[in-house]
Amino acid sequence: MAKRKRLSPARLGYWSDDGDTPAPPAAPPIAHVAGEASAVAALEEVTAELDRARIEGRLVQSLPLGAIDEGYLVRDRVLAGDDELQVLKDSIRARGQQTPIEVVALDGGRYGLISGWRRLAALRQLLAETGEESFSLIQALLRRPESASDAYIAMVEENEIRVGLSYFERARIALKAIEQGVFEDRRAALQGLFGSASRARRSKIGTFMPVVAELDGVLRFPASLTERLGLRLAKAMEGSNTLIQGLKQRLLDETPDNIEAEQAVIARSLAPAPRPAASPAGMREIRPGLSARETATGLTLSGPSLTPELKAQLIAWLERH
């Protein structure tokens, strides 16, 4: 007897609609769900990593210029010259902003500026001059300083690395940080802000502090005060209120309009006073500018105060007596 051939059960969907080509088998539902779960997990991982990068300051963000509060910290840069700022504006106009600023998140969707004041100023001027939307956003890194002192340190370090600070600017930011209550005293401010500097440099910054305390707001070009001239000025100011007040008055009277003229005023104030001419033997000053010498036959008067008017008065007095 011939063996019967056992037939396999029909597979649904094996044949295509036209009945000619076998259709691929349907994917099991569990594989579909597993694929979707894997994609969601990968997306969540990428999102979490982007959030961490943003919070840790590793992600550059585009922020509106109007959201940046430049007054969050007292700036260490005293000013930016027109020529200096124009060079930066030309660079941003040609190549875009190459280096992000540093900010800290504030309430209400605003951000406090830590470093990058010149870049912020350049972009604001470009936006005002051109009206181009490309200049309405600024590239920024979000920082999370644990304290105000950390924010000031970050600002100082960034400027020291990029453009350097003058001794006047270093001393000024130390004093301002003390005024803001960030540091308790000058020693703490110098150590906190310039801890990586040499001891000699910190000492010079401290020497500049009295100069800043007296002349901040009086000098028109303070950042250009040289190290040598500033140290001479600080030494001369010790215990000499007359010199300080005299210098302030000269600066106000002469209003120097360039760096050289201002430093010339300072140098003249530091020049030693001319010594009075030696009086001839036997001469005795009887009042400022008038000296007298007695001789066997008379009296000799001399000095810048012996004016023609005084001579006439003396002769008239002698004639009456």
Side-chain angles (χ1 to χ4, degrees):
M1 180 189 294
K3 294 181 71 174
R4 294 180 180 177
K5 186 176 181 181
R6 180 176 294 180
L7 298 176
S8 300
R11 288 180 291 173
L12 296 176
Y14 182 77
W15 299 101
S16 62
D17 292 340
D18 58 12
D20 294 330
T21 307
I30 190 170
H32 180 70
V33 172
E36 286 187 348
S38 177
V40 170
L43 180 60
E44 290 177 347
E45 183 178 353
V46 171
T47 302
E49 178 58 30
L50 288 175
D51 285 341
R52 284 194 297 271
R54 179 180 60 82
I55 293 172
E56 294 171 3
R58 295 182 287 112
L59 180 66
V60 177
Q61 305 177 66
S62 292
L63 302 176
L65 290 182
I68 309 300
D69 180 6
E70 65 184 81
Y72 170 69
L73 298 179
V74 178
R75 311 318 307 172
D76 52 357
R77 296 292 288 176
V78 175
L79 50 83
D82 292 340
D83 293 342
E84 181 183 359
L85 202 57
Q86 186 60 48
V87 171
L88 180 57
K89 285 165 59 180
D90 292 341
S91 173
I92 293 177
R93 184 185 286 110
R95 304 171 56 235
Q97 181 188 348
Q98 298 298 302
T99 305
I101 64 172
E102 294 180 315
V103 297
V104 60
L106 304 177
D107 294 335
R110 295 187 59 76
Y111 298 86
L113 180 66
I114 295 178
S115 65
W117 179 86
R118 292 168 65 251
R119 278 158 279 169
L120 177 63
L123 277 167
R124 283 179 172 169
Q125 287 190 17
L126 286 169
L127 179 62
E129 293 170 4
T130 67
E132 295 182 15
E133 287 298 316
S134 59
F135 298 133
S136 66
L137 298 175
I138 190 166
Q139 305 301 308
L141 290 171
L142 182 64
R143 300 302 188 198
R144 300 180 67 188
E146 295 182 359
S147 63
S149 61
D150 290 337
Y152 274 93
I153 292 169
M155 175 181 63
V156 170
E157 288 181 346
E158 199 264 357
N159 272 333
E160 288 281 17
I161 292 171
R162 288 182 55 78
V163 291
L165 296 169
S166 68
Y167 276 101
F168 190 99
E169 289 171 314
R170 294 184 181 110
R172 181 177 182 273
I173 192 58
L175 285 177
K176 293 299 182 182
I178 296 169
E179 292 175 7
Q180 297 289 319
V182 177
F183 297 101
E184 183 178 354
D185 52 33
R186 294 187 177 187
R187 182 173 182 179
L190 290 172
Q191 187 63 44
L193 293 173
F194 305 101
S196 60
S198 66
R199 187 172 182 179
R201 172 167 285 193
R202 286 199 303 273
S203 176
K204 290 178 181 178
I205 298 171
T207 302
F208 262 76
M209 283 185 168
V211 177
V212 176
E214 292 291 345
L215 299 179
D216 189 25
V218 179
L219 293 175
R220 301 183 67 188
F221 308 96
S224 299
L225 183 64
T226 64
E227 175 186 342
R228 182 176 180 181
L229 186 58
L231 293 176
R232 283 182 57 204
L233 180 57
K235 184 176 181 180
M237 287 171 55
E238 293 178 357
S240 179
N241 188 61
T242 302
L243 183 144
I244 297 170
Q245 299 306 318
L247 175 57
K248 287 182 178 179
Q249 192 60 51
R250 289 190 187 93
L251 290 168
L252 291 173
D253 292 342
E254 300 187 27
T255 59
D257 58 1
N258 57 62
I259 295 170
E260 293 74 16
E262 183 171 82
Q263 295 194 3
V265 173
I266 298 173
R268 287 200 306 273
S269 298
L270 296 177
R275 294 181 179 179
S279 300
M283 293 296 289
R284 178 171 59 88
E285 188 176 59
I286 58 176
R287 76 181 194 186
L290 184 63
S291 299
R293 181 176 61 178
E294 297 183 24
T295 66
T297 58
L299 182 68
T300 302
L301 298 176
S302 64
S305 294
L306 188 60
T307 62
E309 292 79 8
L310 181 57
K311 289 180 182 179
Q313 292 174 9
L314 288 172
I315 292 173
W317 184 84
L318 290 171
E319 289 175 346
R320 291 195 302 269
H321 296 78

